[in-house]
Amino acid sequence: MALNRFMHPRNHYRNNKPDFSQLALKYPEFADHSTQDLNGKICLDFKKANSVRILTQTLLKEDFNLNVELPDDRLTPTLSSRLNYIHWIEDIFGDSYKELRGIDIGTGASCIYPILGCKINNWSFLATDVNEKNLEYADKNVKGNNMQTKIQVVKVEEGTCIPQFVLSSDQTYDFVMCNPPFFADHMEAQAITSTRKVNRPDPPSMSTAEDCESIVPGGEAQFIKQMIQESFQVKEKIRVFTSMVGKKINVSVIKEELKRRQISNFSTTEFCQGKTMRWGIAWTFDTTIKFPKSYFEKKKKGNSKLIYEIPMDNGIVIYDIQNMTAYIISQLQELKVEYKEGKRTNINSCVTMTARVNSWSNQRRKRRLEKQGLNKDIEEKKNKTPEKSSSVNSVIVHEINGTLSNNKAIEDTIIDDDKKIKIVKETVMETKNINSANISSDEIPVELKTNKTPSTSTESVVKTKSGCLDDTKKNHLVKCRIILKKTDDRIMLEIVDLDGDKRELCNQILQYFKNKLKSQA
Ligand code: SAH
């Protein structure tokens, strides 16, 4: 499914697709609602409301050992989206996410958030609803799971969102959560006024939501705006206010409302599952709350940020930050680039690398040359004095605005055999773009791992776009930061371009590590 890769990393269904065959063997009611195709595969018709309801009940039993009864004329919650919301609240509270106390506004017949929150995190809840039948079932489901000491189901009157008695009670709450009724009226609920095209296929699964569950005057935007207004009165009693948002357009409408009311500490997130996306919005008056970055945004940006998830089965390094950092450093030594290690903990580390030549490209060619015994030749070349040589082999080149014109003399630094720094003028062989000028480290007659820096008077300096002299671009081809981060047991390798315009070179460096640390599967 398209969005599953953006599902919250702790979501049970991210990596555990329900096994319908197993479920059909174990649960007779599930078997009754499923069919077998010609290949023997067990299938479920998601267009049938009853099938979806049975699936949710079966998964709640199988994966969470929860007994939930759902009426056939009420909303059936999809578990992956409800779990995404719960995990986001955990993230908001960080390490102290266990044993929180929350309010679930509009709990529905399933009482899904309180029951899951209590089961997974031992959270306590005040669960509200306006609808008699929903309240009756919610109560039944709480008792059916022996959670009556942790979850209190309360009837509230229409017209308010946050229960009024919270104001007068001594009880405080960590958070409010809510999956508000989405639509403003029947026309909208049936998509007659929405932008849904007539030729667009039916939604993938059938909704059994009653009017009271899906329709509220002004739709969800109005409902959440009212929550914002009411949150001012109870800000001493509740730390974090959150709501799910069903339509993307409403995310910006609600953000505008928060700004208009001068609530500056707010955050939004995406709940991704299957083919549907929902959003979460949270705000607080508590200055100690720091909202987490959206996982979806992080993953999306990750593409442009040059990130690689190191496979656990890379077959080279023990999968922890300490060993992985040591390995990265050993590789930098092999590449003969300068490096400086920053802070290293068990969850992240950082090494800054400065390269004067491209020693990471053409690795395959280098290995081939080595095999063919041409190393001897290269050694001989190395022993030649750089001044005498007029070939590119003895020159360390710089990128100037990403390109070099043909046969243009450039001034640069090299280090001769005595490791003294000299400035030479050289003619560069025809090279259009230095990013792709693959000068192998074997071909460079110098030892580059040195802390010596050339004196400023003779340095070649690159100007920034604004025309100011830019120190960071002196005498190097590329400078980047190699960051290792551990998130949810996975180690991510990130390359940050410190020059700001060497993305292609950074990409090559990332590719170098990808080749070294690839999956053995
Ligand atoms: N939380 C459930 C149900 C969401 S449907 C789930 O995620 O599956 C929205 C629910 O809000 C319905 O049960 C509806 O009866 C209830 N509701 C509508 N207006 C309300 C209000 N003002 N206060 C509390 N609940 C309300």
Side-chain angles (χ1 to χ4, degrees):
M1 293 278 193
L3 290 169
N4 278 0
R5 70 197 169 104
F6 297 116
M7 208 184 260
H8 192 286
R10 290 195 298 280
N11 194 314
H12 176 81
Y13 297 105
R14 189 184 156 99
N15 299 315
N16 299 297
K17 225 177 136 210
D19 182 340
F20 286 178
S21 309
Q22 285 299 319
L23 293 177
L25 281 176
K26 202 165 161 188
Y27 300 94
E29 207 182 351
F30 182 84
D32 288 348
H33 284 82
S34 55
T35 52
Q36 201 166 19
D37 71 8
L38 291 173
N39 301 320
K41 200 175 147 197
I42 302 292
C43 309
L44 206 64
D45 185 355
F46 286 92
K47 293 233 161 67
K48 285 192 183 148
N50 249 353
S51 310
V52 181
R53 181 172 58 85
I54 300 297
L55 174 66
T56 294
Q57 284 180 177
T58 311
L59 292 177
L60 280 165
K61 182 70 194 163
E62 174 67 9
D63 296 327
F64 300 94
N65 195 23
L66 285 166
N67 306 304
V68 175
E69 209 185 315
L70 300 167
D72 53 17
D73 57 352
R74 288 296 190 270
L75 185 79
T76 295
T78 47
L79 295 188
S80 45
S81 77
R82 302 315 192 265
L83 288 167
N84 274 339
Y85 193 171
I86 286 184
H87 294 313
W88 181 49
I89 293 185
E90 293 168 2
D91 291 343
I92 292 174
F93 287 90
D95 293 340
S96 58
Y97 75 87
K98 286 269 173 190
E99 312 221 359
L100 302 174
R101 181 183 293 275
I103 301 176
D104 178 27
I105 299 175
T107 201
S110 58
C111 201
I112 191 73
Y113 290 122
I115 284 177
L116 277 175
C118 180
K119 185 78 189 185
I120 301 172
N121 294 323
N122 204 20
W123 288 350
S124 309
F125 274 94
L126 175 69
T128 75
D129 211 292
V130 289
N131 182 271
E132 287 294 350
K133 188 168 180 181
N134 285 351
L135 287 158
E136 182 199 320
Y137 270 85
D139 205 43
K140 222 192 258 183
N141 286 328
V142 169
K143 289 186 178 131
N145 290 290
N146 226 352
M147 292 174 170
Q148 53 274 40
T149 56
K150 303 288 281 185
I151 304 168
Q152 194 191 351
V153 180
V154 195
K155 180 175 167 51
V156 290
E157 294 308 321
E158 273 177 55
T160 53
C161 304
I162 300 168
Q164 289 301 288
F165 58 81
V166 169
L167 244 183
S168 51
S169 131
D170 287 340
Q171 185 66 62
T172 56
Y173 297 88
D174 298 294
F175 65 88
V176 158
M177 69 193 301
C178 176
N179 182 5
F182 286 164
F183 306 113
D185 52 39
H186 279 102
M187 299 279 273
E188 199 190 7
Q190 288 161 35
I192 297 168
T193 56
S194 83
T195 52
R196 196 180 181 91
K197 289 193 186 115
V198 247
N199 60 354
R200 202 174 144 189
D202 286 340
S205 66
M206 235 37 216
S207 171
T208 46
E210 257 288 289
D211 284 359
C212 66
E213 294 180 302
S214 59
I215 296 173
V216 71
E220 62 176 356
Q222 189 51 42
F223 198 91
I224 302 169
K225 278 184 184 177
Q226 190 176 337
M227 273 177 77
I228 296 172
Q229 186 195 332
E230 291 176 11
S231 68
F232 280 93
Q233 297 155 18
V234 285
K235 61 180 181 188
E236 310 299 334
K237 303 273 163 102
I238 303 170
R239 287 182 76 198
V240 179
F241 302 85
T242 74
S243 179
M244 193 189 262
V245 183
K247 287 191 266 173
K248 190 176 186 188
I249 177 100
N250 288 333
V251 176
S252 37
V253 170
I254 294 155
K255 272 160 78 173
E256 279 313 306
E257 178 69 4
L258 288 163
K259 284 185 210 156
R260 193 180 72 78
R261 291 190 172 266
Q262 289 169 3
I263 300 176
S264 55
N265 198 6
F266 66 84
S267 182
T268 57
T269 196
E270 295 78 13
F271 302 131
C272 303
Q273 52 278 310
K275 286 179 186 157
T276 46
M277 187 147 170
R278 296 277 179 255
W279 293 265
I281 189 139
W283 66 97
T284 182
F285 301 93
D286 181 336
T287 48
T288 62
I289 296 282
K290 299 265 175 289
F291 289 116
K293 280 212 179 93
S294 147
Y295 179 72
F296 177 72
E297 285 300 321
K298 267 199 278 185
K299 280 282 257 188
K300 253 193 357 186
K301 275 202 192 121
N303 295 338
S304 63
K305 248 172 134 190
L306 303 174
I307 289 187
Y308 175 54
E309 185 182 319
I310 302 174
M312 282 193 186
D313 62 338
N314 62 77
I316 292 191
V317 195
I318 298 171
Y319 208 71
D320 66 34
I321 293 287
Q322 297 296 343
N323 282 294
M324 204 59 81
T325 312
Y327 177 76
I328 297 289
I329 288 174
S330 73
Q331 287 303 304
L332 297 179
Q333 286 166 348
E334 214 166 299
L335 289 172
K336 298 185 166 65
V337 294
E338 291 176 32
Y339 65 87
K340 194 170 173 223
E341 196 188 341
K343 221 175 136 197
R344 192 196 302 190
T345 69
N346 283 338
I347 52 165
N348 54 36
S349 73
C350 162
V351 182
T352 304
M353 130 177 186
T354 309
R356 289 158 197 279
V357 288
N358 183 338
S359 55
W360 47 88
S361 295
N362 270 358
Q363 290 292 316
R364 222 181 280 159
R365 182 170 158 247
K366 273 168 53 182
R367 279 196 298 274
R368 205 174 52 234
L369 285 175
E370 272 166 23
K371 253 194 184 162
Q372 290 167 357
L374 290 176
N375 274 356
K376 231 176 119 202
D377 264 22
I378 294 163
E379 279 308 310
E380 276 170 23
K381 274 190 203 168
K382 280 182 183 175
N383 293 333
K384 282 185 191 167
T385 53
E387 282 84 353
K388 275 181 206 156
S389 167
S390 62
S391 86
V392 71
N393 294 344
S394 59
V395 182
I396 302 164
V397 283
H398 275 187
E399 178 186 21
I400 299 172
N401 294 332
T403 53
L404 292 168
S405 48
N406 299 350
N407 298 324
K408 203 174 174 192
I410 63 155
E411 196 175 59
D412 217 314
T413 1
I414 62 159
I415 306 159
D416 71 10
D417 284 343
D418 303 334
K419 298 196 176 65
K420 277 183 202 139
I421 294 154
K422 293 184 180 177
I423 306 300
V424 290
K425 282 209 169 199
E426 270 299 353
T427 302
V428 181
M429 75 177 181
E430 274 199 29
T431 307
K432 278 257 161 66
N433 190 338
I434 196 66
N435 288 347
S436 53
N438 298 321
I439 306 162
S440 128
S441 66
D442 291 355
E443 296 164 333
I444 307 296
V446 287
E447 167 61 58
L448 285 161
K449 183 156 176 353
T450 171
N451 288 325
K452 290 177 194 171
T453 44
S455 71
T456 35
S457 58
T458 49
E459 279 168 354
S460 73
V461 179
V462 180
K463 285 187 174 185
T464 61
K465 276 186 191 137
S466 62
C468 303
L469 293 181
D470 183 359
D471 269 352
T472 61
K473 292 181 185 170
K474 286 173 196 168
N475 296 310
H476 66 253
L477 178 64
V478 59
K479 184 168 179 175
C480 62
R481 192 160 287 148
I482 303 167
I483 298 168
L484 289 173
K485 266 190 217 159
K486 195 167 184 185
T487 33
D488 297 297
D489 291 320
R490 288 161 320 148
I491 298 181
M492 315 297 284
L493 189 157
E494 184 184 337
I495 310 271
V496 181
D497 173 12
L498 294 177
D499 291 324
D501 56 358
K502 307 284 173 63
R503 191 185 156 79
E504 183 48 37
L505 287 168
C506 290
N507 205 9
Q508 289 172 10
I509 297 166
L510 186 69
Q511 190 56 48
Y512 173 86
F513 285 112
K514 276 186 182 176
N515 291 343
K516 294 276 170 187
L517 293 163
K518 59 183 172 221
S519 166
Q520 299 298 296

